[in-house]
Structures are given as C-alpha cells and as structure tokens.
Amino acid sequence: MSSSKETGTDAQAKEDVKLTNYESVALKDLLQTRLDECGWRKQVEQNIREIIEAKERDMQTITSEELADEIAPQARAMVPEYVRKEMLLRVREALESSLPRK
C-alpha cells in the first residue's frame, strides 16, 4: 500500500520534492492571473456580497470564518476546468524539473 505522501503516478520517488520559492511564487501569480482573466474573482466577490446582503436582510451577523466556510466550496467549484488542467500541468512540470537527475 502506498504512503500518504505519494502522489501522482510515480510511486518510486520516495524523497520529498519541493518547489523553490521562485517556482511557488510564479505558479501562484499564474493562477491569480488566470482566475482574473476568466472573471472568477469578480464572481466570488459578487457571491460574497450576496451572502452578506442576505444575512443583513435577515438581521443576522456573520463572522469572517463563517463567510469563508460558506464561500470556499463554492469558489473552488467555480474554477474553470481549463484553469485546473493548466495548473496541474504546470505544477507537475515544476516538480519534475525539481527531481534529482540520475
């Protein structure tokens, strides 16, 4: 049975592979750019406004933690499939380039 640290299809790579800070920042920037380009951020902001307005109409308060718990699953589901696929490909490439050469 494989350990919980193993991911992907390369079960023989036992050492932890980590991205450099530069690679991590570059991937994060790319993700933010892609989400902005497809309008995801604006959709999430609109959903947040709607949740807050609904709570205010019902004379309820909502904490930031409750808001995050409510919006996070919706936001994840709203990420376009092409963005998910591109990011998965980019992360794999970055991890593979970080593997020690034999």
Side-chain angles (χ1 to χ4, degrees):
M1 188 169 286
S2 63
S3 74
S4 62
K5 286 189 178 184
E6 292 177 9
T7 59
T9 58
D10 188 12
Q12 293 185 2
K14 298 290 184 196
E15 67 278 350
D16 288 339
V17 178
K18 295 186 179 182
L19 298 177
T20 65
N21 189 43
Y22 173 78
E23 291 169 322
S24 295
V25 169
L27 287 168
K28 181 181 174 185
D29 289 345
L30 176 63
L31 178 59
Q32 288 177 345
T33 300
R34 293 297 185 257
L35 292 175
D36 284 340
E37 289 172 348
C38 71
W40 176 88
R41 183 180 306 274
K42 288 183 181 182
Q43 288 177 314
V44 171
E45 288 172 357
Q46 181 61 34
N47 286 1
I48 290 169
R49 282 188 200 95
E50 290 171 3
I51 291 169
I52 291 171
E53 288 170 2
K55 294 291 183 180
E56 286 175 348
R57 277 193 304 270
D58 294 340
M59 311 257 309
Q60 297 177 351
T61 58
I62 186 168
T63 66
S64 57
E65 292 83 12
E66 291 170 335
L67 181 60
D69 289 344
E70 189 168 338
I71 199 68
Q74 296 172 15
R76 280 189 210 104
M78 291 170 26
V79 175
E81 191 61 30
Y82 73 91
V83 173
R84 290 177 194 266
K85 287 180 180 180
E86 178 183 5
M87 293 308 301
L88 179 61
L89 177 67
R90 298 289 180 112
V91 169
R92 266 197 194 136
E93 289 171 351
L95 288 172
E96 287 173 358
S97 71
S98 298
L99 287 173
R101 303 286 179 221
K102 291 183 180 182

